[in-house]
Amino acid sequence: MSEKAHFGFTKLVVQDLEAMAAFYTDVAGLTEMVRVQDAVGDRKIDEIIFQPTAAGGSTFVLFKFLDRSTPANEEVILGFQTPDVVGFVARARANGATVVMDVEVKAEHGVKVAFVSDPEGHLIEVVELLPVA
């Protein structure tokens, strides 16, 4: 019997690796774990791997193809869960993000939610769980 695979990481393809690392560090409080310089086939890459934000959690990776200057946006929607969605959106805005949808309470889903675009235009959904009544 083979073991099941599990979701381990998300890689976001970016244009400016350093600027995007600063954005996600400042806004989401991520901590850099390791940098990798390697190749995928014959394409050279640089990436920054961040520590999981919870025990057993997946990792977040910023990934840059060195032969491609502009990646496509909205191929991935990042999801961050936070205890303070208003604070997250404020930090995002202060660090160059655009608010796509300001904080809304979605009681039917048990969350407060907002959408922002990072400085390169990647869409981020930010969720705060509402207290259970």
Side-chain angles (χ1 to χ4, degrees):
M1 181 175 198
S2 64
E3 292 186 29
K4 291 183 180 180
H6 74 280
F7 183 76
F9 55 87
T10 296
K11 291 190 176 190
L12 181 65
V13 179
V14 299
Q15 179 176 343
D16 187 333
L17 193 63
E18 296 305 322
M20 298 310 294
F23 176 83
Y24 285 100
T25 298
D26 292 345
V27 173
L30 299 181
T31 303
E32 186 177 319
M33 185 166 56
V34 66
R35 289 179 180 241
V36 175
Q37 293 181 325
D38 207 340
V40 175
D42 62 353
R43 298 178 76 187
K44 291 184 186 231
I45 61 106
D46 282 344
E47 61 185 3
I48 299 173
I49 302 170
F50 294 92
Q51 293 178 354
T53 56
S58 59
T59 56
F60 177 64
V61 181
L62 294 176
F63 184 99
K64 178 170 177 55
F65 283 110
L66 299 182
D67 66 350
R68 185 168 125 190
S69 63
T70 306
N73 289 330
E74 295 186 1
E75 293 176 352
V76 171
I77 298 174
L78 299 175
F80 282 90
Q81 184 175 327
T82 177
D84 179 15
V85 70
V86 172
F88 187 105
V89 170
R91 287 189 306 278
R93 183 180 283 131
N95 281 277
T98 301
V99 177
V100 175
M101 184 186 92
D102 213 343
V103 178
E104 293 184 9
V105 174
K106 302 284 187 176
E108 67 275 19
H109 301 298
V111 297
K112 288 182 188 176
V113 63
F115 284 86
V116 299
S117 287
D118 73 18
E120 288 191 3
H122 301 103
L123 194 58
I124 304 167
E125 181 177 0
V126 188
V127 174
E128 176 183 334
L129 299 178
L130 294 173
V132 179

